[in-house]
Amino acid sequence: MKRILFVVTAASTWTLKDGTEHPTGYWAEELAEPHRIFSEAGWETVIATPGGVAPTLDELSLGVAGGLPRRRRDMRSYLEGIQGSLDHPLALVDVNEADFDLVFYPGGHGPMEDLAFDADSGALLERRLGAGRPLALLCHAPAAVLAARRADGTNAFAGRRMTGLSNVEERLNTFGWKAAWYLQDALEESGILYEKGKLPLRPFVVTDGNLYTGQNPQSARALADRVLEDL
């Protein structure tokens, strides 16, 4: 049986440039859809967070931004079905990513708050990338690679092709204009070869060897399907 490690943000707020804290967490579709796809394929799923803190669902992701009512109900129902795993995640520092066939980072604004600066996550990502084993990050989750730094201070992902939520898509959120920094800008400044789709909020996936990234929540299914097909 193949095994997948979901590395999920433990943040429940996102600090904006004016110092205010916006409620956040993980985005429902970005966790529920890949989790369902891999579970239905017979994979064993394990969830880990920084500090082993139970992750927070961003309720905005099950509001109008989460799609049609039936789809939102289905996602909430699925997440309730795996609530036991969500309530008792492993501590990221205690996880050996080499034990898993795939490491998957779902997004939400939470990773901008914690995983972007988390040394344990950064070290895991550097090891995983260097080992050439499958790694996938979705939407805001590529913020986590900002913490993956080599001994010389350079980013371990510099020169790799990636996507993630674009500046345009971030500004579609009314509170996005208040962001202290933008993911696209930060990735490009780190030497990453950022790519995006022609239209915002449409599925777009980039593959670069063992590295898979999806641009936005709408890419959740496409990203999971692509990784599953390759593996």
Side-chain angles (χ1 to χ4, degrees), residues 48-69:
T49 67
V53 176
T56 299
L57 168 65
D58 188 336
E59 287 294 338
L60 282 178
S61 65
L62 289 178
V64 293
L68 297 175

Side-chain angles (χ1 to χ4, degrees), residues 22-224:
H22 184 81
T24 190
Y26 69 87
W27 198 258
E29 182 176 9
E30 298 179 34
L31 176 56
E33 189 70 0
H35 193 286
R36 178 189 63 78
I37 289 171
F38 286 104
S39 295
E40 290 179 352
W43 288 44
E44 178 187 353
T45 58
V46 175
I47 294 172
T49 67
V53 176
T56 299
L57 168 65
D58 188 336
E59 287 294 338
L60 282 178
S61 65
L62 289 178
V64 293
L68 297 175
R70 180 175 178 179
R71 178 161 179 76
R72 300 199 306 265
R73 289 194 299 270
D74 288 346
M75 284 191 291
R76 187 179 290 280
S77 177
Y78 186 85
L79 291 170
E80 289 173 351
I82 62 169
Q83 195 61 51
S85 297
L86 290 168
D87 285 343
H88 303 285
L90 300 179
L92 189 56
V93 68
D94 296 329
V95 172
N96 181 3
E97 77 285 349
D99 294 336
F100 295 88
D101 298 279
L102 173 66
V103 174
F104 193 105
Y105 279 63
H109 282 105
M112 302 275 281
E113 186 75 11
D114 61 354
L115 294 175
F117 312 100
D118 189 279
D120 295 324
S121 173
L124 182 157
L125 289 168
E126 183 179 8
R127 291 192 302 268
R128 189 75 181 184
L129 189 72
R133 301 197 65 196
L135 169 65
L137 306 99
L138 179 59
C139 194
H140 284 96
V145 309
L146 301 175
R149 297 204 165 271
R150 304 185 183 96
D152 62 3
T154 59
N155 193 283
F157 287 75
R160 301 298 295 263
R161 296 170 50 245
M162 295 182 65
T163 190
L165 199 79
S166 67
N167 291 351
V168 169
E169 289 168 317
E170 190 68 87
R171 294 186 182 113
L172 293 177
N173 297 310
T174 55
F175 56 88
W177 287 86
K178 301 178 182 179
W181 52 278
Y182 289 97
L183 177 59
Q184 177 182 339
D185 291 342
L187 294 177
E188 291 174 339
E189 290 165 4
S190 295
I192 290 159
L193 306 179
Y194 177 84
E195 300 179 13
K196 63 179 179 180
K198 292 181 180 179
L199 296 174
L201 302 181
R202 298 296 300 162
F204 184 73
V205 172
V206 171
T207 61
D208 184 354
N210 63 312
L211 178 61
Y212 298 77
T213 48
Q215 182 174 327
N216 44 40
Q218 293 78 11
S219 303
R221 179 178 297 182
L223 178 60

